[in-house]
Amino acid sequence: ELLADLRGQADLIIDTSDTNVHELRDRVTTLLGRSDTGRLRIKVMSFGFKYGSPREAEVVVDVRFLPNPHWIEELRDHNGLQEPVREFVLGHKGTGPFLERFKALLDVLVPGYEAEGKRYLTIGIGCTGGKHRSVAIAEDVAAYLSDTGEHHVRVSHRDLGHE
């Protein structure tokens, strides 16, 4: 009743009385003629736990178990996008086994999100300040997910430069 006037002005009306969210999504995307909607959009976000966990992340991983480059004088002013820090973080003996297992988890998780009809997935990777470890790991994970070309992958560094 409240929307009766608006309904009278509508060019299109979709009755959702017997429609689940998946059917509604399919109907709307068909009506809009969007061809890229089938691709999962993945955002890999580095962040610093000291600034809070990202609310929008479906998956949050804590990489504070890796040694912190902040405590190495010559690495402190660099960040995870720069080669000295990347080499330090990715070269640590615990990083390889972690990444191997995390990527194997993503190999199961991503198709699961797709099977459920999800269109967006945010993966948060956190360290203390969001400058060193999480940035290097997020870049590596984003590159891994991008390699197949099956998904739209972007990486963001929420807290880089925040310090």
Side-chain angles (χ1 to χ4, degrees), residues 65-80:
F65 70 93
L66 296 171
N68 192 345
H70 174 80
W71 302 115
I72 299 173
E73 187 66 37
E74 56 271 14
L75 297 178
R76 181 173 295 152
D77 293 332
H78 293 285
N79 64 56

Side-chain angles (χ1 to χ4, degrees), residues 47-92:
F47 70 94
F49 277 102
K50 72 180 183 178
Y51 303 113
S53 299
R55 290 184 183 178
E56 67 271 27
E58 285 81 18
V59 177
V60 174
V61 177
D62 184 346
V63 296
R64 291 177 290 185
F65 70 93
L66 296 171
N68 192 345
H70 174 80
W71 302 115
I72 299 173
E73 187 66 37
E74 56 271 14
L75 297 178
R76 181 173 295 152
D77 293 332
H78 293 285
N79 64 56
L81 296 173
Q82 297 169 315
E83 200 56 36
V85 173
R86 279 183 43 77
E87 286 178 8
F88 179 83
V89 172
L90 297 178
H92 183 267

Side-chain angles (χ1 to χ4, degrees), residues 42-45 99 102-103 106 123 125 135-148 151-157:
I42 303 173
K43 178 179 177 182
V44 181
M45 173 195 299
L99 282 172
F102 185 56
K103 290 172 184 176
L106 292 174
I123 302 166
I125 300 175
V135 172
I137 298 294
E139 288 287 330
D140 187 82
V141 168
Y144 174 75
L145 292 169
S146 295
D147 279 348
T148 65
H151 308 101
H152 175 72
V153 179
R154 70 183 180 97
V155 64
S156 71
H157 304 294

Side-chain angles (χ1 to χ4, degrees), residues 8 25 27 69 73 78 95 97 99 110 114 118 121 129 140 148:
R25 181 199 61 237
R27 175 86 170 119
E73 187 66 37
H78 293 285
T95 304
L99 282 172
V110 169
E114 291 174 312
K118 305 295 185 191
L121 170 62
D140 187 82
T148 65

Side-chain angles (χ1 to χ4, degrees), residues 3-73:
L3 298 174
D5 289 341
L6 184 60
R7 183 183 177 116
Q9 298 173 26
D11 293 328
L12 175 67
I13 298 170
I14 302 173
D15 182 356
T16 60
S17 301
D18 296 317
T19 306
N20 66 40
V21 293
H22 303 289
E23 294 166 336
L24 177 59
R25 181 199 61 237
D26 292 343
R27 175 86 170 119
V28 170
T29 55
T30 299
L31 290 168
L32 294 176
R34 303 274 313 249
S35 61
D36 68 338
T37 56
R39 292 179 67 198
L40 182 64
R41 295 180 178 277
I42 303 173
K43 178 179 177 182
V44 181
M45 173 195 299
S46 70
F47 70 94
F49 277 102
K50 72 180 183 178
Y51 303 113
S53 299
R55 290 184 183 178
E56 67 271 27
E58 285 81 18
V59 177
V60 174
V61 177
D62 184 346
V63 296
R64 291 177 290 185
F65 70 93
L66 296 171
N68 192 345
H70 174 80
W71 302 115
I72 299 173
E73 187 66 37

